[in-house]
Amino acid sequence: MKYISTRGQTAPKSFSEVLLMGLAPDGGLMLPERYPQIDAATLQRWRGLSYPELAFEIMNLFAGDIPAADLRRLVDDTYTEAVFGTSSITPVRTLADGIKIQALSNGPTLAFKDMAMQFLGHSFEYVLSREGKRLNIIGATSGDTGSAAEYALRGKAGIHVFMLSPHGKMSAFQRAQMYSLTDENIHNLAIEGMFDDCQDIVKALQNDAAFKQQYSIGTVNSINWGRILAQIVYYFAGYFRATASNGEQVSFCVPSGNFGNICAGHIARMMGLPIRRLIVATNENDVLDEFFRTGRYRPRSAAHTYVTSSPSMDISKASNFERFVFDLLGRDHFQVASLWQQVAAGGGFDLSAELPRIREEFGFVSGSSRHADRLATIRAVHESDGEWLDPHTADGVKVARELREAGETIVCLETALAAKFADTINEAAGHPVDVPRPAALAGLESLPQRVAVLPNSAQAVRELMVQTLG
């Protein structure tokens, strides 16, 4: 299996090369030359597998340059009951109204990002050790990616992590999870701006070829193919747990900001998983909802990006969206490069002529949620089911309920646990709520924090990295 760039100017790469590289040298994103096709017999065989067994079968189709025995060990070390709290890893539960929720937030940072980051931590260390290399990770987070990456990579040999986050824009719990880490290889940088500013800085440094080569710069943001691959697995696992046989179809509703999570669902569907619809759920930052309703993609500036109560989705430039558009346009890298030149120049593009194919061939629909919607959903689910949803998952449930068709089975992908967003839960409840959290995280917010606040400047980040790495 070789990997190619969405912009067509990068020579084909192996899985291990793509794992470490982040953005392609031509500014595009890496994807497999083709998606493996899963036939009915294979799907039936996979239905009875454990999560680690399923993960190995799927990843082995994509990671051709990692010996099978080594890949199996990496997967077995990643997906354990000790790390994820249950042997099923991603159990599926059903709400009173029939909407299903796939639990993806039982990892160490209580967010779905752990599902991919834990695998990345093990695989990074393996590849770096095998090749005698070092890697300096630069990433941007709107809330959960950062802590998941840091917990997966803390103390890992040959790796430093520089994580950018928007100063003052995350929940107190999210900040404490990241900034309280004292590992010498973890560096938190709070940028005076929005998440999109952080993401732009990461891209600018990724596109600085000399800097990237000199300091071995990589990324763990959702543009990293290894993350997408790990996320494909739980779509298959969720399908098997939500159905009794492979003759059934399900739809997945996914809270979306950077389009990485639902991009994995798109690939699973392209591989042959019986997904009926992929439902994109956005918050007030509804650039993706606008695209899937109208065919027009109009990214907004940081100044026009809302700060909301589902902060991990406060994103107006969806990095992974380019991967879907590449498939939508028949993998025409010339056209994709042209469209993203328009985006880089501050514009957008119009693919409204493709709307019938987007919906019928690729199965995408969308909806959005607002602050009042998520509060109402959080309250309603607690009243009917006795559980608290985090605000992002509540956005997903709201959109799923709004768009569900008769007889349709919808699985909402859980984004995080409610404990990470106490202020919003208290507002929804109308009174202080003691939202349960794992004992290991008691008193997290009171721990000393270590973070450097920097201006919204790629040069400022570059200088700090050079000073730190020597």
Side-chain angles (χ1 to χ4, degrees):
M1 175 72 75
K2 290 292 187 179
Y3 291 82
I4 58 174
S5 169
T6 53
R7 304 197 189 174
Q9 303 305 309
T10 297
K13 303 290 184 184
S14 69
F15 174 77
S16 294
E17 289 175 312
V18 169
L19 184 73
L20 299 180
M21 75 186 302
L23 273 179
D26 61 11
L29 302 179
M30 303 302 285
L31 275 174
E33 287 181 318
R34 56 175 179 79
Y35 298 130
Q37 297 302 295
I38 307 306
D39 60 23
T42 301
L43 200 64
Q44 186 59 40
R45 180 171 61 83
W46 286 0
R47 176 171 281 274
L49 300 180
S50 68
Y51 195 94
E53 290 168 339
L54 179 63
F56 168 76
E57 292 287 342
I58 293 172
M59 292 180 179
N60 197 39
L61 298 173
F62 293 91
D65 64 332
I66 296 182
D70 291 349
L71 180 61
R72 190 179 293 277
R73 177 177 54 79
L74 291 172
V75 167
D76 287 345
D77 287 348
T78 299
Y79 299 110
T80 68
E81 185 172 356
V83 172
F84 290 98
T86 169
S87 59
S88 61
I89 309 298
T90 62
V92 173
R93 63 190 187 272
T94 305
L95 298 179
D97 69 346
I99 295 288
K100 296 180 183 295
I101 296 181
Q102 186 175 8
L104 302 177
S105 304
N106 295 322
T109 71
L110 316 186
F112 82 96
K113 307 291 177 71
D114 290 323
M115 295 300 304
M117 287 297 186
Q118 287 293 309
F119 172 72
L120 240 58
H122 290 291
S123 55
F124 274 170
E125 192 172 43
Y126 166 82
V127 172
L128 291 171
S129 173
R130 185 182 70 181
E131 300 181 4
K133 293 181 178 178
R134 300 182 63 82
L135 186 66
N136 295 305
I137 297 290
I138 179 170
T141 183
S142 56
D144 293 326
T145 292
S147 57
E150 291 177 356
Y151 277 72
L153 297 172
R154 60 189 302 194
K156 287 285 192 287
I159 300 174
H160 277 267
V161 179
F162 296 85
M163 188 57 62
L164 283 59
S165 58
H167 183 45
K169 303 297 194 297
M170 301 185 298
S171 76
F173 188 104
Q174 288 175 313
R175 290 195 298 271
Q177 271 194 312
M178 293 172 56
Y179 301 165
S180 65
L181 292 181
T182 58
D183 305 77
E184 291 185 2
N185 70 325
I186 301 298
H187 313 277
N188 281 298
L189 314 179
I191 303 300
E192 295 174 326
M194 296 294 291
F195 167 77
D196 288 324
D197 296 314
C198 300
Q199 188 164 254
D200 287 344
I201 291 172
V202 170
K203 288 184 175 180
L205 296 180
Q206 281 272 332
N207 282 322
D208 183 339
F211 179 73
K212 184 174 182 178
Q213 181 176 5
Q214 182 178 356
Y215 289 96
S216 302
I217 303 298
T219 184
V220 290
N221 270 40
S222 59
I223 59 175
N224 184 292
W225 169 252
R227 278 188 58 182
I228 301 294
L229 174 57
Q231 291 173 305
I232 292 170
V233 177
Y234 56 67
Y235 281 89
F236 281 84
Y239 171 80
F240 292 138
R241 296 200 174 101
T243 58
S245 76
N246 294 340
E248 302 175 55
Q249 285 189 318
V250 302
S251 297
F252 284 91
C253 184
V254 187
S256 299
N258 232 354
F259 204 76
N261 198 358
I262 202 162
C263 183
H266 156 68
I267 294 170
R269 190 176 186 272
M270 296 286 283
M271 290 170 66
L273 188 64
I275 296 175
R276 181 166 179 264
R277 297 197 297 171
L278 291 162
I279 304 170
V280 177
T282 70
N283 64 8
E284 290 86 341
N285 297 295
D286 53 4
V287 170
L288 288 173
D289 178 42
E290 180 182 14
F291 175 80
F292 286 105
R293 284 187 296 102
T294 70
R296 292 188 296 274
Y297 182 58
R298 299 190 301 171
R300 299 174 189 151
S301 67
H304 294 91
T305 300
Y306 299 103
V307 177
T308 78
S309 52
S310 49
S312 297
M313 294 154 63
D314 291 348
I315 298 169
S316 291
K317 295 177 185 174
S319 284
N320 274 285
F321 185 54
E322 183 172 337
R323 284 185 163 116
F324 168 67
V325 173
F326 183 62
D327 285 340
L328 173 65
L329 298 178
R331 302 199 144 200
D332 182 341
H333 57 81
F334 294 110
Q335 192 172 357
V336 169
S338 175
L339 293 179
W340 259 265
Q341 283 177 351
Q342 295 170 217
V343 171
F349 51 78
D350 186 341
L351 295 178
S352 55
E354 302 292 342
L355 269 179
R357 291 182 59 239
I358 289 170
R359 292 170 181 161
E360 294 159 21
E361 183 179 337
F362 293 96
F364 276 98
V365 293
S366 68
S368 64
S369 175
R370 301 294 185 263
H371 181 66
D373 297 324
R374 69 185 65 98
L375 294 184
T377 302
I378 290 169
R379 272 194 305 272
V381 169
H382 186 258
E383 289 170 2
S384 61
D385 293 86
E387 64 171 276
W388 296 109
L389 296 181
D390 91 279
H392 311 79
T393 307
D395 287 336
V397 170
K398 182 265 184 183
V399 171
R401 287 175 167 174
E402 188 173 73
L403 298 185
R404 179 167 50 168
E405 297 177 345
E408 185 178 25
T409 298
I410 297 182
V411 178
C412 285
L413 296 193
E414 181 182 81
T415 301
L417 295 191
K420 302 189 77 164
F421 303 95
D423 290 346
T424 303
I425 303 304
N426 291 341
E427 185 179 355
H431 57 80
V433 174
D434 184 17
V435 182
R437 66 170 67 176
L441 297 175
L444 180 70
E445 293 88 337
S446 64
L447 294 175
Q449 297 186 6
R450 183 167 62 98
V451 59
V453 179
L454 295 180
N456 179 13
S457 159
Q459 183 59 27
V461 173
R462 181 188 285 106
E463 290 173 358
L464 185 143
M465 293 178 67
V466 170
Q467 180 182 355
T468 301
L469 296 171

